[in-house]
Amino acid sequence: MDGTPYNLLICEDAESAAREAAERFACAAVRAVAKRGAFHVAVPGGSSPRGMFHYLASRDFQQLVPWSPTELFFTDERCVPPESDESNYRLVSESLLSEVAIAEDSIHRMRGEDTPEQAALDYESELHRAMGPSPCFDLIVLGMGVDTHTASLFPNSNAVLETGKHVVADYVEKLGAYRLTMTLPLINNAEQVMILVHGADKAASLAEVMQGPRDSCLHPVQGVRPISGRLLWIVDRAAASLL
Ligand code: 6PG
């Protein structure tokens, strides 16, 4: 990614990458709470963050994260009810939130069961109510798909081109479905963004994103470039094998 400052951490395997991500999540939480009395974080669904959720839910980590002053948001959501197998809320809820001491009203889910446009508008209002008109997350965690999408910003979509709104609904042609997603202006306003990538199936995409020309319309994850915050990629050796 020409000219883009980023840090790349290559871990031995997916498990150590997940542990590293959980440790950094805990550090960001402690730092934010010490500084401002609250921790604002946004997490995705998909397979990328599952290992991190597993560690965060474990007994050791529960003591490390100040959950009660944590406000947890979602980077994106599928347009399904919260009880659906596909729901990101359900995934995070079952793998992490049910195991930690976070208050119910500090969990800000996107309402995938509502009409997509309305759900996006409502989530943007919820964000602004909680964090003001220019929300700055302490930490945003992202994954990357094989097609280089991140959050639900897919290649050549309207969502990846959005420059004003913080949350949009977008019809994703290849999925034949709507998604709700945070946009690049919101993501890039964060203090810290962590992108988690593991597995050999992501190796070619990661090499293209890191070493190829920059085109964030074609490779949405390349559009993640915090304005003044830090960007850290945490990847395993398998994903990094072509770098
Ligand atoms: C989702 C996630 C999404 C995901 C990436 C990568 O709803 O799928 O929120 O942001 O992290 O799409 O997908 P995988 O992690 O499943 O490879």
Side-chain angles (χ1 to χ4, degrees), residues 44-49 75-76 78 88 143-145 149-152 179 202:
S47 61
S48 305
T75 60
D76 62 318
R78 291 103 189 272
N88 285 345
M144 180 192 81
H149 83 267
T150 192
S152 283
R179 289 284 184 97
K202 306 254 174 92

Side-chain angles (χ1 to χ4, degrees), residues 31 49 84 100 135 156 166-167 171 176 182 188 202:
R31 224 181 5 248
S84 163
V100 299
N156 300 313
H166 290 149
V167 183
Y171 184 74
M182 288 186 171
N188 287 333
K202 306 254 174 92

Side-chain angles (χ1 to χ4, degrees), residues 53-242:
F53 294 152
H54 168 77
Y55 275 107
L56 289 173
S58 68
R59 194 183 297 241
D60 291 355
F61 273 87
Q62 289 198 16
Q63 317 304 320
L64 298 180
V65 179
W67 283 108
S68 69
T70 294
E71 298 290 325
L72 186 132
F73 292 79
F74 288 79
T75 60
D76 62 318
E77 184 55 281
R78 291 103 189 272
C79 290
V80 295
E83 58 278 5
S84 163
D85 285 349
E86 287 183 49
S87 162
N88 285 345
Y89 167 74
R90 179 173 172 184
L91 166 78
V92 181
S93 187
E94 290 182 352
S95 55
L96 174 63
L97 304 175
S98 59
E99 306 295 324
V100 299
I102 185 168
E104 199 55 46
D105 59 3
S106 295
I107 301 169
H108 305 269
R109 75 172 180 89
M110 292 179 168
R111 292 180 56 87
E113 68 274 38
D114 293 348
T115 54
E117 294 297 341
Q118 192 56 49
L121 283 172
D122 289 347
Y123 204 66
E124 177 139 349
S125 304
E126 183 162 350
L127 257 177
H128 293 175
R129 261 197 312 277
M131 300 175 69
S134 185
C136 173
F137 278 92
D138 297 301
L139 175 66
I140 295 185
V141 182
L142 296 169
M144 180 192 81
V146 171
D147 63 359
T148 71
H149 83 267
T150 192
S152 283
L153 300 167
F154 283 82
N156 300 313
S157 63
N158 291 327
V160 77
L161 298 174
E162 179 63 42
T163 55
K165 295 178 183 160
H166 290 149
V167 183
V168 295
D170 199 27
Y171 184 74
V172 183
E173 204 74 53
K174 67 187 270 193
L175 302 175
Y178 277 89
R179 289 284 184 97
L180 301 167
T181 185
M182 288 186 171
T183 60
L184 289 171
L186 173 60
I187 293 169
N188 287 333
N189 205 36
E191 269 201 13
Q192 192 183 347
V193 179
M194 224 160 59
I195 306 179
L196 314 181
V197 186
H198 66 266
D201 59 326
K202 306 254 174 92
S205 322
L206 190 65
E208 173 68 20
V209 161
M210 297 257 158
Q211 293 161 352
R214 190 149 61 76
D215 179 349
S216 48
C217 193
L218 189 61
H219 298 307
V221 76
Q222 288 184 328
V224 177
R225 292 184 299 144
I227 302 161
S228 55
R230 295 182 305 284
L231 172 59
L232 173 66
W233 291 75
I234 302 182
V235 311
D236 72 350
R237 226 169 249 301
S241 59
L242 298 177

